[in-house]
Amino acid sequence: MSSSPISPASLPATTPDNLPEWLALLESRHAETVINMGLDRVLAVKERLQLAFSCPVIMVAGTNGKGSTCAMLESVLLRAGYKVGLYIKPHFLDFNERARVNGDLASDADLVAAFNAVEAVRGDTPLTYFEFTTLAIMHLLSGAGMDVVILEVGLGGRLDAVNIVDADVAIVTSVDIDHTDYLGDTREAIGFEKAGIFRAGKTAICSDPVPPQALIDHANAIGADLWLMGRDFNYSGDKQQWNYGGRGQRRNALAYPSLRGANQILNACAALAALEALKLELPVGAQEVRTGLVTVELPGRFQVLPGRPSVILDVAHNPHAAAALNQNLGNMGYHPYTYAVFGSMHDKDIDGVIAAMSEHVDHWCLATLPSPRSATAAELAAKVQAVQPERDERTITTFDDPGAAYANAISRAGENDRIVVFGSFLTVAGVMAARKSALH
């Protein structure tokens, strides 16, 4: 996420020679609470970097489903034998998770070289943490000899740093209410911001079944080739398998994606529509599609961990995503009790998220997150209490961090119960880190 610009004057004369020091330097030069929208600074540095891609670029925006769609595209294209670059965010444990080259995390050395390249041409232009790292990762991918590059948009679309690149195929997965301070407080306003990644004469895909009219109008106004779910592509199926139907291509007898959840079929459709649009440049066979969808992995998206009690990790942090998570919990079968480990940023629709999840949660373990933007556990508790008052079979407890909240849930849950860790990426990352340290 963009933040206040790094001041060139405050940078040392010599740049760091390792990734942890580079990241610490960038983080120390910005205030996480400020977001700085606009593309002028990033475009100026892009020109100096001579940043350009010599392969097809697929860009993915949306309120929810961006990461899943990117991961499906990467998985299928890797199975088809292509060299695939992926920029995805945020990360859970290691910054390297944001840049993948041929399915592998970018090395520290490659990232440091990319950071140095940006710093060498930045001059007096101030860049935010997000702008700086976005330019660096795109520079890394542009020089890695890729056959195709997939870029995930961060916030919105029109003014997001990723949008300095003209995508050959632009996807908007879903449009719902989130980041209202920056994108507007209606689906129409947010839809317009996300449609900002569309380009004249290029494929523009929207897999939201009810796309905002503003998105459609913008695509038509600029002359983009708009593909809409239900009009230009669709799906059908039963409990065993499903079929994709596009403008001129059908994919039959597909297995459902390994990423769990009802909305993943919409994300898979968006990915297959993009592949259909690029079928001349990047032909992909039926078996590669099947295998790619079955083997795709993405942490924190209705991720059910092995063992008992059942532990589900999900980065649902807005009402739209929380409603999908709630539906997925309902499809899991019977569990005597459900424990929720939940933390959220202050600027989210916390009431809406809690309301969407209250049907299935018996015990709330609420955590303050390690960010100035975090809502405190006490604030979350007051909101839960308003929606779902505490009684004998229902408890609300507060903790200083997600790891402590998770430890409490584990200590109380029976082997047939389940624990759902959700909310901010920092909630899931905190629990991932706690589990990792417990294993060592």
Side-chain angles (χ1 to χ4, degrees):
M1 188 172 289
S2 301
S3 25
S4 65
I6 299 157
S7 165
S10 60
L11 290 169
T14 56
T15 55
D17 61 2
N18 62 72
L19 185 60
E21 288 183 11
W22 248 123
L23 293 172
L25 173 64
L26 294 178
E27 288 164 0
S28 72
R29 297 294 187 263
H30 79 282
E32 188 185 355
T33 49
V34 181
I35 291 180
N36 198 324
M37 306 290 279
L39 297 181
D40 291 347
R41 298 181 310 278
V42 200
L43 280 167
V45 180
K46 176 202 173 191
E47 295 304 318
R48 288 178 225 146
L49 263 181
Q50 297 181 308
L51 175 64
F53 291 95
S54 56
C55 64
V57 173
I58 305 171
M59 191 177 293
V60 185
T63 306
N64 299 302
K66 298 188 293 284
S68 299
T69 303
C70 288
M72 289 184 206
L73 280 164
E74 180 198 40
S75 182
V76 171
L77 287 162
L78 285 172
R79 290 285 167 180
Y82 294 109
K83 299 190 197 103
V84 184
L86 174 64
Y87 174 34
I88 195 167
K89 54 203 163 301
H91 61 275
F92 286 106
L93 300 177
D94 299 304
F95 181 87
N96 311 59
E97 296 167 30
R98 294 180 179 226
R100 293 220 289 254
V101 179
N102 254 358
D104 297 322
L105 303 188
S107 68
D108 282 18
D110 285 347
L111 286 164
V112 167
F115 283 7
N116 287 337
V118 174
E119 184 64 15
V121 301
R122 185 173 63 83
D124 294 330
T125 306
L127 293 173
T128 71
Y129 175 95
F130 178 66
E131 289 166 349
F132 192 104
T133 55
T134 294
L135 281 163
I137 289 173
M138 291 204 290
H139 175 72
L140 187 164
L141 295 178
S142 71
M146 299 290 94
D147 296 319
V148 57
V149 168
I150 304 161
L151 303 173
E152 181 186 352
V153 171
L155 178 64
R158 183 174 64 92
L159 297 176
D160 187 86
V162 175
N163 198 35
I164 58 171
V165 172
D166 293 330
D168 297 277
V169 174
I171 300 171
V172 173
T173 54
S174 67
V175 180
D176 221 277
I177 307 299
D178 202 1
H179 301 295
T180 53
D181 289 351
Y182 306 101
L183 305 181
D185 56 5
T186 66
R187 287 186 77 241
E188 291 297 326
I190 294 170
F192 173 77
E193 292 295 328
K194 296 193 184 302
I197 66 169
F198 296 162
R199 293 296 189 269
K202 302 288 189 180
T203 302
I205 295 167
C206 182
S207 54
D208 192 310
V210 189
Q213 190 61 42
L215 177 144
I216 297 171
D217 291 345
H218 179 72
N220 292 335
I222 66 169
D225 179 18
L226 182 61
W227 294 41
L228 293 178
M229 168 67 78
R231 185 189 76 181
D232 300 278
F233 62 102
N234 54 45
Y235 67 91
S236 60
D238 54 33
K239 289 187 176 178
Q240 273 69 49
Q241 58 187 24
W242 68 287
N243 311 304
Y244 164 85
R247 284 184 179 177
Q249 188 175 58
R250 285 196 64 80
R251 305 270 193 190
N252 295 321
L254 300 171
Y256 283 93
S258 62
L259 301 180
R260 300 164 68 143
N263 281 351
Q264 294 298 357
I265 198 73
L266 297 176
N267 299 329
C269 279
L272 294 189
L275 295 176
E276 180 182 354
L278 291 169
K279 65 185 177 187
L280 297 181
E281 298 94 331
L282 300 166
V284 175
Q287 192 53 47
E288 292 140 7
V289 169
R290 291 189 185 101
T291 309
L293 291 178
V294 167
T295 56
V296 63
E297 295 180 355
L298 187 65
R301 278 70 167 190
F302 203 68
Q303 180 185 3
V304 182
L305 303 180
R308 290 193 166 193
S310 294
V311 176
I312 301 104
L313 306 179
D314 198 297
V315 291
H317 59 268
N318 53 54
H320 183 253
L325 172 57
N326 182 66
Q327 180 184 356
N328 294 333
L329 292 174
N331 293 335
M332 279 185 75
Y334 176 71
H335 294 79
Y337 294 103
T338 297
Y339 292 77
V341 176
F342 176 55
S344 176
M345 295 301 175
H346 215 287
D347 56 357
K348 298 298 177 183
D349 181 1
I350 298 171
D351 295 324
V353 171
I354 292 168
M357 287 291 292
S358 63
E359 174 187 2
H360 289 297
V361 177
D362 303 290
H363 302 291
W364 292 88
C365 303
L366 305 169
T368 302
L369 303 177
S371 164
R373 292 174 48 228
S374 172
T376 67
E379 288 168 335
L380 296 177
K383 290 178 177 293
V384 171
Q385 182 74 21
V387 173
Q388 201 181 35
E390 196 168 6
R391 6 185 240 273
D392 288 346
E393 71 277 15
R394 188 173 284 151
T395 61
I396 303 169
T397 47
T398 57
F399 302 90
D400 292 336
D401 62 83
Y406 176 73
N408 178 266
I410 282 286
S411 72
R412 294 160 62 197
E415 68 170 24
N416 294 319
D417 294 336
R418 65 184 170 188
I419 299 168
V420 56
V421 180
F422 76 103
S424 166
F425 268 83
L426 292 179
T427 314
V428 176
V431 170
M432 283 184 173
R435 285 174 57 88
K436 185 177 180 181
S437 65
L439 290 174
H440 298 293

